[in-house]
Amino acid sequence: LLFLDLDNFKHINDSLGHAVGDQLLQSVANRLVAGVRVTDTVCRQGGDEFVILLSEIEQPQAAARVAKILRSELALPHLIDGHELHVSLSIGISVFPDDGSDVDMLMQNADTAMYHAKASGRDNYQFFKAEMNARAVRRQIVESSLRRALKHNEFLLHYQPQFDLESGEITGAEALIRWQDPEYGLVGPAQFISIAEECGLIVPIGQWVLREACSQIRAWLDAGLSAVPVAVNISAVEFRHEAFLGGVAKILRETGLAPHYLELELTENMLMHDAESSATVLVALRAMGVTLAIDDFGIGYSSLGYLKRFPIDTLKIDQSFVRDFATEIDDGTIVSAIIGMGKSLRQRVIAEGVESAEQLAFLRERQCDEGQGFHFSHPLPAADFARLLAGTRDIAHAVPA
């Protein structure tokens, strides 16, 4: 049993309309039927999901060959209403009787394998394995716990300072979410953000992060501290959400925070997924007065033409380039190129993941503006960061003047 889901169908359906989406589904169905034997059964399960029953196979690998054929069939563009549309397949495969003795179990396990295919990068197939169920159960537990965490205010923010590499002064901070789980203690974002994105909770969690960061900066200012701008990471789901712009404006208004204290970090790939739409949102954000940064710069795919058009204030060099420049000559070259590009575009450049004096010296030699990383400070709870702003907390590795 093959459980198939179309990758990126929702984006096409939302942007071009349901009529185009329906024609695309018909085109996909025709190709699926053409890709299997007359003895096989193809059905549309609902939405953009299809199920295929391969009734006469002797070895599971025969199902893998069919999956490869179907992926090849779908690799060619669909020409619909003057649009050249591209979709791919995430496929989960279950085998009778090993993966279930009845229809419901086979469907459930093929569905589970399909979600594993999506989590593995989409556009691939995966056979069901027993441990997938354990992961699915764990995912369900985390999702349920996240809903509780939102309701009971179990999240908190830590702040990692950013430093001017020339003067050593604190120039800003990045807000990093933590989850104070009553059972497991302090949980880092790597353990739950991807699940939050999958189940749709990333939007309310993102709203909480924005509001908490803005409220905290306002509190520091009210306490007479010399507060610095704070950067907040924005996920692709948040950025594309219809209420995103209004939500940012509402939070700034309700917290009474001057917009220039808020910086929004977005990735290259997020912005380039729909560059024209991204440019519109960025211009609106800039009009509000918030500053904008491209996070993890260098690992995505950027059009330099769009990069020049986007109203970006900051480029953040991905930490992988900073970490490996000593052993990878190309990484050092990339870091130098990004610094030069940022200066030519009059953007500030921040190097992430600075963990050693050697890396700091390399960045200063190339006139990188700012740095962030464990060499200066780990992310700090709000109270500790306030002491840093007040000058009553020392940083173990101050930036040499």
Side-chain angles (χ1 to χ4, degrees):
L1 195 72
L2 276 62
F3 201 110
L4 302 82
D5 185 89
L6 300 185
D7 304 323
N8 302 320
F9 175 77
K10 186 178 186 302
H11 173 70
I12 293 172
N13 207 37
D14 290 347
S15 59
L16 298 179
H18 294 288
V20 170
D22 287 347
Q23 292 180 65
L24 176 59
L25 289 173
Q26 293 170 9
S27 178
V28 168
N30 289 333
R31 293 191 191 183
L32 295 180
V33 171
V36 299
R37 303 160 302 178
V38 293
T39 55
D40 300 324
T41 303
V42 180
C43 74
R44 178 172 170 233
Q45 181 70 6
D48 60 347
E49 296 178 335
F50 293 83
V51 173
I52 299 178
L53 176 66
L54 306 178
S55 58
E56 298 177 3
I57 59 170
E58 296 181 0
Q59 299 294 331
Q61 287 308 311
R65 287 194 293 273
V66 173
K68 292 177 182 177
I69 290 170
L70 296 178
R71 288 179 60 222
S72 297
E73 290 284 342
L74 267 293
L76 298 174
H78 302 260
L79 302 177
I80 296 174
D81 271 8
H83 302 284
E84 187 175 289
L85 305 178
H86 296 264
V87 290
S88 57
L89 292 173
S90 292
I91 306 173
I93 305 173
S94 63
V95 179
F96 173 87
D98 298 353
D99 301 327
S101 57
D102 57 54
V103 172
D104 289 341
M105 186 58 68
L106 285 171
M107 286 281 285
Q108 178 182 321
N109 289 341
D111 186 28
T112 297
M114 182 275 291
Y115 275 105
H116 189 71
K118 279 195 174 295
S120 300
R122 303 174 186 265
D123 191 20
N124 71 97
Y125 66 88
Q126 297 286 333
F127 280 91
F128 174 77
K129 298 175 184 176
E131 57 265 27
M132 290 181 182
N133 267 338
R135 283 194 293 271
V137 170
R138 171 62 182 160
R139 180 193 177 282
Q140 184 60 42
I141 292 173
V142 172
E143 179 181 339
S144 177
S145 298
L146 285 173
R147 294 185 187 278
R148 182 205 67 225
L150 268 172
K151 183 177 180 180
H152 295 285
N153 201 29
E154 295 173 7
F155 296 114
L156 67 154
L157 294 182
H158 284 187
Y159 300 86
Q160 186 168 38
Q162 299 162 342
F163 292 89
D164 185 299
L165 298 188
E166 190 63 33
S167 68
E169 295 180 354
I170 299 176
T171 55
E174 180 178 358
L176 299 165
I177 190 170
R178 303 289 186 264
W179 174 14
Q180 189 65 55
D181 184 88
E183 181 178 356
Y184 297 103
L186 200 62
V187 181
Q191 304 300 313
F192 63 89
I193 287 297
S194 61
I195 294 176
E197 289 177 335
E198 290 172 14
C199 67
L201 287 176
I202 194 64
V203 171
I205 290 175
Q207 284 282 296
W208 179 89
V209 171
L210 271 172
R211 184 176 296 277
E212 178 68 14
C214 290
S215 297
Q216 184 60 75
I217 303 167
R218 182 70 259 174
W220 286 331
L221 289 167
D222 291 344
L225 297 174
S226 299
V228 293
V230 172
V232 173
N233 292 281
I234 303 298
S235 73
V237 178
E238 291 175 84
F239 188 68
R240 301 293 174 202
H241 196 273
E242 59 183 2
F244 175 64
L245 284 172
V248 174
K250 181 181 179 182
I251 288 171
L252 288 170
R253 184 171 61 252
E254 291 180 351
T255 58
L257 183 69
H260 69 269
Y261 280 108
L262 176 64
E263 181 170 73
L264 303 181
E265 292 190 0
L266 313 128
T267 66
E268 292 175 83
N269 289 351
M270 180 197 311
L271 296 177
M272 294 307 301
H273 180 71
D274 185 346
E276 290 293 341
S277 174
S278 295
T280 301
V281 176
L282 293 177
V283 168
L285 289 168
R286 170 58 72 80
M288 288 183 200
V290 303
T291 56
L292 303 168
I294 296 184
D295 194 19
D296 301 333
F297 189 79
I299 64 172
Y301 57 95
S302 278
S303 160
L304 295 183
Y306 273 109
L307 186 61
K308 187 170 65 175
R309 286 179 51 195
F310 291 157
I312 297 298
D313 302 284
T314 305
L315 299 181
K316 297 193 73 176
I317 305 174
D318 185 68
Q319 59 184 333
S320 62
F321 298 120
V322 177
R323 180 180 62 241
D324 298 333
F325 80 87
T327 55
E328 298 289 342
I329 296 176
D330 289 345
D331 285 349
T333 303
I334 291 171
V335 170
S336 299
I338 294 173
I339 294 171
M341 183 188 307
K343 289 187 179 299
S344 66
L345 294 173
R346 295 184 294 280
Q347 296 164 342
R348 58 195 277 255
V349 180
I350 300 178
E352 296 183 287
V354 183
E355 298 183 354
S356 69
E358 181 184 18
Q359 292 169 345
L360 173 59
F362 174 86
L363 293 165
R364 292 188 68 187
E365 182 181 334
R366 283 152 183 79
Q367 297 183 315
C368 183
D369 300 314
E370 299 171 31
Q372 171 185 342
F374 294 166
H375 182 69
F376 310 122
S377 171
H378 283 71
L380 302 170
D384 287 349
F385 194 83
R387 288 194 287 273
L388 185 64
L389 292 175
T392 58
R393 176 190 171 96
D394 293 328
I395 290 296
H397 297 282
V399 185

